[in-house]
Amino acid sequence: MITDKEFYIQSLRDHLYYLRTIRGFCITIELSFYKNNEEYISIAEDFSRKSEELSKEAISYTGGLISNEALKNNIYVSEYTLPCEELTEKLFGIFIDTTITKEELNFREGINQNINSELIENIKILNNKALTFAKNFKMFCNDIKEKMDSNNLFSFSYIDFFSYLFDEVNTYTEDLERIIAMENYSPIYATGFAYNFANTLLKTAKFIRDWTDPSNSDVFDLASYYVNAFDEIINKYLKSDISPDNQEVLSNNMKEILVDYQDFIKKLLERLVNFEIYFITPPISIDNIYTSVNFYKFIINLESEENNAK
């Protein structure tokens, strides 16, 4: 069973990462439809607004403080987030509320020391609201995917992109359910979590490869390399048992690949915000991938530290 402090930290960590990510997904969904699909555009806009409301509530409970590890790993925002939001606004003629990004860029190192019963109750309410919200968003993504599968709906995004959104948000809902139940990570749960991360990263590498303009062959080739690398990791997860030794080996393999992949995405963002590269997706999508990589690397390192402490 987790403590109130662990409940507080883990709840807000999930909300700050996943709600921002969902907001980015919603913007990409809005921009992927023709105007004749106004219903889907409107629903995506509603989800975007709701994610912003929940994000602001989560931020209000932090007191402007997050852990040093979360801060230095840029798991919520990076130096590229605001430029990518502004570039997305410019390219698509839309409005993005950047106040959340600016607040998160001003986070300071620390942990709220006043974790009282009232705060815990407020976060319990937030967790339940966020869980309902995330489950509804999963249903929305699945509905789009099924209609695209049957050629009853057109989007400029790939069908697999909506599978990726579903899987990403499913990880959020599963972890929220664990936190709401005040449960620790079990070895089986941790293995499933790591496998889901690897699968998500495989899809992001595929998206980078397929969103890249053909003139940028260097990006295409490197993205293809990471597709193969993450695919190999996934196969190892499927074939290995969940013994601590095997998990440590797989975790170390993942960490090695993540360091390189993180640097690859960071360099892409540098080129993107300096107008040196073009992708057939909103710039905010590339920043979402970068913070995802940062988040997963942070979680893997955190799990390793906890295991070494036992």
Side-chain angles (χ1 to χ4, degrees):
M1 186 172 178
I2 59 176
T3 64
D4 281 353
K5 183 178 180 180
E6 290 169 329
F7 174 83
Y8 168 83
I9 292 170
Q10 292 176 24
S11 295
L12 292 185
R13 184 176 66 209
D14 272 16
H15 295 321
L16 292 172
Y17 168 70
Y18 284 106
L19 290 170
R20 159 171 286 285
T21 302
I22 290 172
R23 199 276 291 264
F25 290 161
C26 290
I27 292 170
T28 302
I29 291 171
E30 288 175 49
L31 298 174
S32 74
F33 285 116
Y34 274 123
K35 290 186 178 180
N36 65 326
N37 289 311
E38 187 63 40
E39 177 188 358
Y40 286 93
I41 295 171
S42 177
I43 293 172
E45 288 173 345
D46 286 343
F47 274 116
S48 182
R49 281 192 293 270
K50 185 62 177 175
S51 68
E52 289 173 350
E53 290 171 11
L54 293 170
S55 289
K56 289 175 181 177
E57 184 174 353
I59 289 170
S60 73
Y61 297 138
T62 67
L65 302 172
I66 60 171
S67 71
N68 178 54
E69 291 77 14
L71 198 61
K72 72 182 182 183
N73 281 286
N74 297 318
I75 66 174
Y76 308 130
V77 289
S78 73
E79 66 267 39
Y80 306 106
T81 304
L82 189 58
C84 281
E85 290 178 347
E86 291 171 344
L87 184 54
T88 300
E89 286 184 310
K90 170 190 166 185
L91 292 174
F92 293 92
I94 62 169
F95 170 75
I96 298 176
D97 185 353
T98 58
T99 56
I100 293 173
T101 299
K102 290 170 182 175
E103 281 191 68
E104 292 181 338
L105 284 168
N106 286 323
F107 275 148
R108 305 180 312 281
E109 177 190 344
I111 296 293
N112 189 341
Q113 298 302 313
N114 189 27
I115 303 174
N116 53 42
S117 58
E118 181 182 359
L119 179 58
I120 293 299
E121 283 305 312
N122 285 336
I123 293 177
K124 284 180 179 179
I125 294 169
L126 173 61
N127 286 355
N128 286 315
K129 287 191 295 187
L131 182 60
T132 299
F133 165 78
K135 285 182 175 180
N136 288 337
F137 185 70
K138 278 198 319 182
M139 291 171 60
F140 175 54
C141 292
N142 197 52
D143 176 55
I144 293 172
K145 179 186 174 298
E146 288 180 352
K147 285 187 168 63
M148 289 176 70
D149 267 329
S150 59
N151 270 335
N152 285 308
L153 184 64
F154 176 81
S155 167
F156 284 104
S157 292
Y158 297 109
I159 292 173
D160 202 35
F161 179 69
F162 290 97
S163 298
Y164 158 68
L165 303 192
F166 182 93
D167 292 343
E168 179 86 334
V169 180
N170 192 57
T171 302
Y172 180 33
T173 59
E174 287 182 351
D175 203 42
L176 267 183
E177 287 171 341
R178 176 193 63 79
I179 293 168
I180 289 170
M182 303 289 284
E183 293 176 353
N184 282 309
Y185 292 106
S186 70
I188 293 175
Y189 180 87
T191 302
F193 210 54
Y195 172 80
N196 288 339
F197 279 170
N199 196 43
T200 296
L201 291 166
L202 169 64
K203 288 182 177 179
T204 65
K206 286 181 178 179
F207 294 144
I208 293 292
R209 180 193 64 192
D210 298 341
W211 288 337
T212 301
D213 189 83
S215 64
N216 300 117
S217 58
D218 60 323
V219 177
F220 180 90
D221 291 343
L222 262 176
S224 298
Y225 164 78
Y226 288 113
V227 168
N228 293 330
F230 288 126
D231 195 40
E232 187 177 331
I233 288 285
I234 287 170
N235 287 329
K236 287 180 181 177
Y237 270 111
L238 292 173
K239 293 176 182 177
S240 301
D241 59 45
I242 60 170
S243 68
D245 288 344
N246 277 340
Q247 291 308 303
E248 185 177 358
V249 169
L250 289 171
S251 179
N252 288 335
N253 288 344
M254 177 64 90
K255 277 192 261 187
E256 288 176 9
I257 296 170
L258 267 178
V259 170
D260 290 341
Y261 188 57
Q262 182 184 42
D263 185 60
F264 169 61
I265 303 298
K266 182 176 182 178
K267 287 176 179 175
L268 292 184
L269 281 167
E270 288 174 356
R271 293 169 67 182
L272 180 61
V273 299
N274 287 308
F275 316 122
E276 297 171 358
I277 195 169
Y278 178 85
F279 294 99
I280 55 168
T281 190
I284 198 172
S285 302
I286 309 298
D287 185 68
N288 262 6
I289 289 176
Y290 183 55
T291 51
S292 293
V293 174
N294 294 345
F295 182 71
Y296 297 156
K297 183 183 172 188
F298 166 79
I299 293 295
I300 288 172
N301 287 337
L302 191 65
E303 288 177 351
S304 295
E305 289 171 8
E306 288 175 353
N307 289 334
N308 290 336
K310 290 178 182 178

